[in-house]
Amino acid sequence: MTTLENKIDFAVVVSVKNANPNGDPLNGNRPRENYDGLGEISDVCIKRKIRNRLQDAGQNIFVQSDDRGADGYKSLKDRADACKEFAEATKKKDKDGSGREAAEKIACKQWIDVRSFGQVFAFKGDDASIGIRGPVSIHPAFSVDTVDISSIQITKSVNSVTGPKKSSDTMGMKHRVDFGLYVFYGSINCQLAEKTGFSKDDAVLIKEALRTLFENDGSSARPEGSMEVCKLIWWEHNCKNGQYSSAKVHRCLHVVPKTDNPKSFTDYEMTVDSLDGLKAEIIDGL
């Protein structure tokens, strides 16, 4: 396993057509918007999709969703307790922190999402929780333009249980973004990668997960083909700290509409400024 020696920044351009990329449960599951009318996809939602892709690639994932549980454990506690080395280390947490350090190393070695994004292992009672900071940081995604949201009323006309007569129809609403082009950014920190054991091979797995972000992600809210990774921009610095700040690197990407009413990625012009000594790789999505 090769240690990560070069800071990495990345950006992902995503198109959404007739889909709900990330519903807001506090707003009737309507697609998220900010106060400027731009569509939004939370960083938590993006990390969930990355975890799913890593799981599809055969990697051990600690924070598994209920509908994709692959090991039979029903909670994070059950999954943590099932790792005997980790469970024993957490029992030996002592004042000098040696037990805590051992538990952190075991957790990072066992689960790729822990050594990538970090994790808080909470304990009841007086035992202090274990907090791990991960090297991979993800920003929320925002649309380039304001998004139009369509809402339709739907009904369910099926009896849920057997009865003497037909049950009443159930009314509901379904929402979608007609079209939106979203962009999100992220980075991988070498200093934190050293602490968690995040390697070059792990960076390659994250890269491929981003490129194929919506594979096996279809649902009634996001039909297959309605969400697509258009471009992945992958910047690799020549040192651990990076020649430039992440903010400066992320500003190199420009996505500008070419028409007043864009309907696809081809209706935008995408350019990437060059920075001296910084390698930029522009990759097509799946």
Side-chain angles (χ1 to χ4, degrees), residues 50-198:
I50 294 173
R51 283 184 169 98
N52 290 347
R53 296 302 302 124
L54 293 172
Q55 188 175 355
D56 289 342
Q59 299 297 310
N60 288 333
I61 300 297
F62 181 66
V63 185
Q64 298 180 22
S65 59
D66 291 340
D67 60 336
R68 293 176 64 97
D71 50 19
Y73 301 116
K74 301 300 183 182
S75 67
L76 296 180
K77 183 181 185 303
D78 290 346
R79 188 168 294 117
D81 290 343
C83 180
K84 301 302 182 183
E85 288 183 279
F86 178 77
E88 288 298 321
T90 57
K91 292 177 183 178
K92 297 178 181 178
K93 295 196 306 296
D94 46 37
K95 293 181 179 180
D96 63 11
S98 60
R100 177 184 300 274
E101 184 177 344
E104 291 176 2
K105 288 182 178 179
I106 293 167
C108 290
K109 182 180 179 180
Q110 180 73 13
W111 298 292
I112 188 173
D113 57 330
V114 174
R115 65 177 179 269
S116 299
F117 304 125
Q119 182 67 36
V120 175
F121 294 91
F123 299 96
K124 292 183 178 180
D126 296 332
D127 290 342
S129 299
I130 295 177
I132 300 173
R133 287 185 62 194
V136 181
S137 60
I138 304 286
H139 296 214
F142 293 97
S143 62
V144 177
D145 308 295
T146 57
V147 293
D148 293 326
I149 298 175
S150 297
S151 300
I152 60 173
Q153 195 165 15
I154 58 174
T155 60
K156 183 178 74 171
S157 303
V158 179
N159 289 336
S160 299
V161 295
T162 303
K165 58 182 180 179
K166 180 181 178 297
S167 61
S168 301
D169 291 348
T170 302
M171 311 296 289
M173 296 293 293
K174 192 171 184 179
H175 313 280
R176 68 173 185 264
V177 170
D178 295 336
F179 175 77
L181 193 72
Y182 293 68
V183 181
F184 70 87
Y185 301 91
S187 64
I188 306 178
N189 180 286
C190 288
Q191 283 76 16
L192 292 174
E194 287 181 355
K195 293 183 178 180
T196 66
F198 186 92

